[in-house]
Each structure stands twice: as structure tokens, then as C-alpha cells.
Amino acid sequence: RDRLDFECEGCTLLWLNDGLEATTAVARSPSGTVTLYTDGRSITPGALPQRALTAFMVAPATDRVLSIGFGSGQLAEMVAKGFPDTQLDCVELDGNMALTTEFFGTSDLLDLPNFELYVDDGRQHMLRSPSTYDVIMADTFTHSINTQIYGAGFFEVARESLTPDGSFFITVPVQDLTSVTEVEIILRTAAESFPYAYVLAPQGMVAILGRTQPLELGQALRSLPQTVQGELSFDLTASDIYRLESAVLDGFGSTRVNSDDQPYFFPLTQHAGPGVAQEMH
């Protein structure tokens, strides 16, 4: 109990390690649920499959995928096993995260032939890597905002790391933001960073898809493999996809762009309700 700096009523501490960026802990609740914590914030359970699977429904090419963020490995395993013909590279800043796989049944992920884990900063990996990717997913955990991840500098590095028909995918954590203004800043930043930026807004999620080529919205969305079809709680249709065009941006109340030289530090709320998401829709 003395080693935890956050509240976890009745929990048993299974593992604790200080990493480069954060203190990582694994704790088991009285009900038996095992949860991964980083700096006291839980990131599992609650690792939402839509963060890993939605891009595969809409991206034209998925042969080579980069996922920025590893966590417990549950979402990475879902992708690597659900799409065995996809080469999945995963970048995690804190190597201590990868040491927790034994607690979440994902240790065999590290031995899969189509999976490679890099302990590195995501932006630096993209800058150094000679490879380009069909899909880049920024899978940051949902209970905090990494200002740089949602900035023009990061978006532009990701854009340059895409194949000609590649797609950048990131969810917008509207449940953690205090107002629609923060959502508008993120969306405008994406629109300024990608020639073609789209909002994916099925019920229960807001996400960004950034591309250098237009998305053929008239084409039918791809079906997911049967092994992972049951993981999604919604159906994505063409009517859930919106182009971030000038007419849309002109309706925003904020003209701010989040950039490296003028960063916007997003205020967060611990108990955000559905109001922001509903108003954004």
C-alpha cells in the first residue's frame, strides 16, 4: 500500500517499475481484474478495440502498420493476430510497459513473426525509419493528453512517413476535454497538417483520419475478419465520415492550431460527461 501513490481500494500490487517517462504499476482488484497504471492512471481494462480496429475498416492499404503506444499489448495482439498478413511495428517510449505482458496474457505477441516492438519515441522512430507505413495509429491512452501527439509537428512527421495511399489514425479523447474548443483545436490542427483530413464519428467515438490522397467515400467499407468482428460495439458507415473542409472549419469558434512553437496545453477534466461529444456531433 505504501508503494502506490494512487488510490486502488483493496488492490494487490503485482508489479511496479519507474520508467523513462512514467511509473508503471500492475494491480489486481478484489474482484480479480488486473489493471495497468501509468502515473496512477488506469489504462486497462478500457483499452478500447475501436482504437485498434477502426482504421482497418476504412484505410485502403494495411500491409504495413505502425502503432505508437504499446501499453499491455492487448490492442497490438488483436491487430497482429487478427491481420496475420499485416506487418505491425509498435513503438513504446517506456520499455517497462513491455515487461507487463505476462500479467495480461500477451507475452506470445513478442514472438509473432509479423510483430516488432521498438523502445523509442514515436516521432523519432518515424524520422529515423527508412520504412513508410500504410497505416500509422497513435494509440495513446485515453485518460490524458499528450500535447505533442495532437500537434502539427507530430502530424506532419506522420504524414511524411505514410505510403502514397497511407492513412494516419488517432482518436480524439472527447471524454477528457473540458469543452468543444479543445476538440476544434485538434481537428483544425489535423486539417492544417494533412491535405485530406476526415472525422470518423460513429456513436461512441470521434477520430481523425489524415491522408495525402482523398478517401473514396463512395466505396464500401471493408469488413473486419471474423476473429475480431465481435470486438467493435458499433457499425461504421460512410455517413459517419466527414471531410474537414473549409465550410466545416469556418463554423468552428476557435481558429487556434496546436504547433511546436505555439503549443496548446489542453485542460483536462476528471469527470467529463457525454456533453462535449454530443455537442461535437
Side-chain angles (χ1 to χ4, degrees):
R1 181 176 302 166
D2 293 339
R3 297 182 68 191
L4 286 177
D5 59 356
F6 59 93
E7 291 187 14
C8 189
E9 186 68 30
C11 287
T12 300
L13 180 64
L14 303 178
W15 191 84
L16 181 70
N17 186 267
D18 285 322
L20 176 66
E21 184 188 37
T23 297
T24 301
V26 180
R28 183 173 58 239
S29 70
S31 65
T33 301
V34 178
T35 302
L36 178 64
Y37 293 87
T38 178
D39 283 346
R41 292 180 177 271
S42 63
I43 59 175
T44 60
L48 303 177
Q50 53 258 43
R51 300 210 313 265
L53 298 178
T54 305
F56 284 83
M57 300 175 68
V58 67
T62 58
D63 291 337
R64 188 170 181 86
V65 174
L66 174 66
S67 178
I68 299 173
F70 180 76
S72 62
Q74 291 170 303
L75 298 184
E77 184 178 58
M78 188 182 301
V79 171
K81 290 186 175 180
F83 302 88
D85 294 330
T86 293
Q87 171 59 41
L88 175 63
D89 292 347
C90 192
V91 182
E92 173 58 57
L93 180 60
D94 265 330
N96 61 1
M97 289 278 189
L99 301 177
T100 67
T101 55
E102 63 178 287
F103 301 105
F104 300 97
T106 55
S107 297
D108 61 339
L109 169 65
L110 304 176
D111 297 322
L112 294 179
N114 64 327
F115 179 80
E116 190 74 34
L117 177 65
Y118 298 89
V119 178
D120 199 355
D121 172 78
R123 186 191 299 211
Q124 294 302 316
H125 173 83
M126 290 187 290
L127 287 171
R128 287 193 296 261
S129 175
S131 302
T132 53
Y133 294 93
D134 297 315
V135 176
I136 296 175
M137 301 185 296
D139 181 26
T140 55
F141 60 90
T142 59
H143 295 299
S144 74
I145 294 285
N146 182 328
T147 299
Q148 295 178 339
I149 290 287
Y150 291 95
F154 183 85
F155 286 172
E156 289 164 6
V157 170
R159 182 193 67 211
E160 295 301 317
S161 299
L162 293 172
T163 58
D165 205 17
S167 305
F168 172 78
F169 177 84
I170 188 170
T171 56
V172 180
V174 292
Q175 73 279 2
D176 292 324
L177 300 173
T178 58
S179 74
V180 170
T181 298
E182 281 73 47
V183 182
E184 290 180 345
I185 291 172
I186 291 174
L187 297 185
R188 185 178 294 277
T189 301
E192 294 282 344
S193 304
F194 292 93
Y196 298 90
Y198 301 86
V199 173
L200 278 59
Q203 185 175 2
M205 185 184 75
V206 176
I208 293 166
L209 193 78
R211 292 174 47 80
T212 60
Q213 301 294 325
L215 191 66
E216 297 295 335
L217 295 179
Q219 295 181 354
L221 296 173
R222 295 197 303 172
S223 298
L224 295 173
Q226 288 188 344
T227 53
V228 295
Q229 274 186 1
E231 299 290 346
L232 281 183
S233 59
F234 59 79
D235 294 321
L236 181 68
T237 67
S239 62
D240 297 320
I241 304 173
Y242 309 88
R243 170 88 186 276
L244 282 173
E245 300 177 291
S246 297
V248 176
L249 299 175
D250 289 344
F252 286 1
S254 173
T255 59
R256 181 71 182 268
V257 171
N258 182 29
S259 60
D260 289 350
D261 59 337
Q262 292 185 316
Y264 182 91
F265 295 97
F266 296 95
L268 303 180
T269 176
Q270 295 290 334
H271 305 289
V276 172
Q278 289 175 350
E279 186 176 348
M280 200 68 219
H281 278 75

